[in-house]
Amino acid sequence: MPIGYFFTDKRTASVQASLIKAALTMAHQHGLKIWCITCDRTTTNLAMFENLGCSFGTSYDSIVTKFPHPSTGDDVFAILDGCHMLKLACNSLTFLGSFHGLFQEKIEWKHLCHLHQVQQHEGLKLANKISTEHIEFQRHKMNVSLAAQTLSSSVADAIEFLDKIMKTSEFEGSAATVKFIKIVDRLFDTLNSRNPHGKGFKQPLKKVNIPHWGNALETTAQYLLNHKSSSGQLLISHRRKTFILGFVITIKSTTEMAKQMLTLPQDPFKYVLTYKYSQDHIELLFSCIRAKGGWNNNPNVLQFTAAVRRLVLGNAVTASKTASCLMTTP
């Protein structure tokens, strides 16, 4: 449910931080416990978190992803939406063409292009959804489904099959690309768990397996932090750093926050579903607001106010079929 909205033309990080503090204070006065703040990857949002007390360095230990609650002093964690980070990872790999890992192994976009070419030539797909729309995705770069289907384990398996089994020359040296895609896919599944009965990497975070998912997430963060551009510059200090920084921030916040939730002295959580603190919920609300305007998907102040009033009173928060994310039943 929306708790407030502010009609502004522009906003600075300091003003946004003040609004967050006010919202946290009022939520506490009404008995609400706020665990985290979720947002996307804009520089204003990152600067806002730094104004609140976070610190974003270039190493895992130097990154501080929590700040004190203005009323209680409890930890409040910063979360950057995993869907946005996945899209940025796909965009960055396309734009740069290649990354270099810790041991100078090359992660290359061309292997995904070659996979598409092979599948088009043969007229069949190797159990993946790669198409022209995925390779030439610039017109659909905000579509989460395309990014998730591009950086998926099925694509990695297809590339690995063509390299190791079929011995296709175009896929020689693709092992690092396969590893990168699988790690990003598993990370996204972990940061997007929805079902209490999920299996594998989609299972909820539980107290009994804290060492397993805790170590796996930290290892993934260290793996991402070691990536470099073709010029040898660490991606965490590159202008295309946001997906690395965003994933690492979310990993560290998720790990620390889930451990606190699962080990509370009173009424600890039985499990943690990481999808609950994704940004999909606010995007579904925005989708509903745009739908209320009919042909006009960019409402003015009066139209926005009327749409929100109708949604809140009618309790009809349901997304359209063309929304960028899917509704799930609780």
Side-chain angles (χ1 to χ4, degrees):
M1 292 292 291
I3 63 169
Y5 45 87
F6 302 87
F7 299 117
T8 61
D9 183 22
K10 295 180 180 178
R11 78 239 187 250
T12 62
S14 58
V15 169
Q16 196 164 293
S18 299
L19 293 175
I20 290 293
K21 288 181 179 178
L24 289 172
T25 301
M26 288 188 286
H28 171 68
Q29 291 170 354
H30 289 79
L32 296 175
K33 164 69 174 175
I34 306 299
W35 282 95
C36 68
I37 305 295
T38 303
C39 62
D40 56 22
R41 81 288 186 191
T42 62
T43 53
T44 302
N45 289 336
L46 293 175
M48 173 199 71
F49 282 132
E50 290 181 324
N51 283 343
L52 290 169
C54 297
S55 176
F56 305 135
T58 57
S59 66
Y60 188 78
D61 293 332
S62 66
I63 293 176
V64 179
T65 63
K66 59 187 177 183
F67 59 91
H69 193 289
S71 297
T72 65
D74 294 339
D75 291 336
V76 180
F77 294 89
I79 297 284
L80 295 188
D81 185 47
C83 294
H84 281 76
M85 297 309 107
L86 187 69
K87 290 185 288 187
L88 286 178
C90 196
N91 294 347
S92 297
L93 184 56
T94 309
F95 179 81
L96 296 175
S98 64
F99 304 148
H100 291 266
L102 179 62
F103 302 106
Q104 296 303 310
E105 65 273 19
K106 290 186 73 173
I107 299 157
E108 298 178 284
W109 174 253
K110 70 177 184 180
H111 294 307
L112 287 89
C113 297
H114 289 157
L115 173 63
H116 174 55
Q117 292 169 4
V118 168
Q119 293 185 154
Q120 277 196 318
H121 181 265
E122 297 296 334
L124 57 87
K125 291 190 176 182
L126 300 174
N128 63 78
K129 296 184 178 180
I130 286 289
S131 64
T132 303
E133 195 175 30
H134 294 80
I135 301 300
E136 301 173 3
F137 67 93
Q138 285 74 14
R139 289 181 300 174
H140 309 282
K141 61 184 179 181
M142 295 304 292
N143 192 314
V144 179
S145 297
L146 287 182
Q149 291 165 3
T150 303
L151 299 180
S152 65
S153 293
S154 60
V155 171
D157 291 339
I159 294 174
E160 190 173 27
F161 171 77
L162 291 169
D163 176 29
K164 294 186 176 180
I165 306 300
M166 301 302 295
K167 306 293 183 182
T168 310
S169 59
E170 289 90 348
F171 297 94
E172 187 176 351
S174 61
T177 306
V178 169
K179 180 180 178 182
F180 175 79
I181 293 174
K182 286 186 175 182
I183 287 177
V184 170
D185 179 58
R186 292 168 184 173
L187 174 60
F188 182 67
D189 284 345
T190 303
L191 298 179
N192 201 41
S193 60
R194 308 183 183 206
N195 190 340
H197 307 291
K199 304 296 182 183
F201 293 98
K202 297 183 179 182
Q203 65 181 305
L205 308 182
K206 298 181 179 179
K207 185 177 179 179
V208 294
N209 57 2
I210 284 179
H212 173 71
W213 56 257
N215 292 336
L217 286 174
E218 185 172 346
T219 301
T220 300
Q222 297 289 2
Y223 167 79
L224 293 172
L225 287 169
N226 285 322
H227 281 75
K228 300 178 182 179
S229 66
S230 56
S231 62
Q233 181 183 4
L234 282 171
L235 283 182
I236 191 63
S237 57
H238 192 273
R239 67 190 183 94
R240 287 274 174 174
K241 68 179 180 181
T242 312
F243 88 91
I244 299 283
L245 181 61
F247 271 138
V248 174
I249 289 171
T250 304
I251 285 171
K252 194 160 188 178
S253 290
T254 298
T255 303
E256 295 185 14
M257 181 169 61
K259 287 179 180 177
Q260 286 191 22
M261 290 176 166
L262 296 168
T263 58
L264 289 172
Q266 269 191 326
D267 299 324
F269 284 63
K270 293 181 179 180
Y271 53 82
V272 175
L273 293 173
T274 51
Y275 178 72
K276 295 295 184 182
Y277 41 84
S278 90
Q279 199 171 264
D280 276 11
H281 315 294
I282 191 73
E283 292 191 5
L284 291 171
L285 173 64
F286 290 161
S287 175
C288 296
I289 292 171
R290 287 193 293 269
K292 294 295 182 183
W295 59 269
N296 176 23
N297 63 1
N298 188 22
N300 60 30
V301 171
L302 290 177
Q303 292 167 336
F304 177 87
T305 306
V308 170
R309 184 182 297 116
R310 289 170 63 192
L311 287 171
V312 172
L313 294 179
N315 192 25
V317 182
T318 55
S320 68
K321 293 182 180 179
T322 58
S324 62
C325 46
L326 301 175
M327 284 286 291
T328 56
T329 55

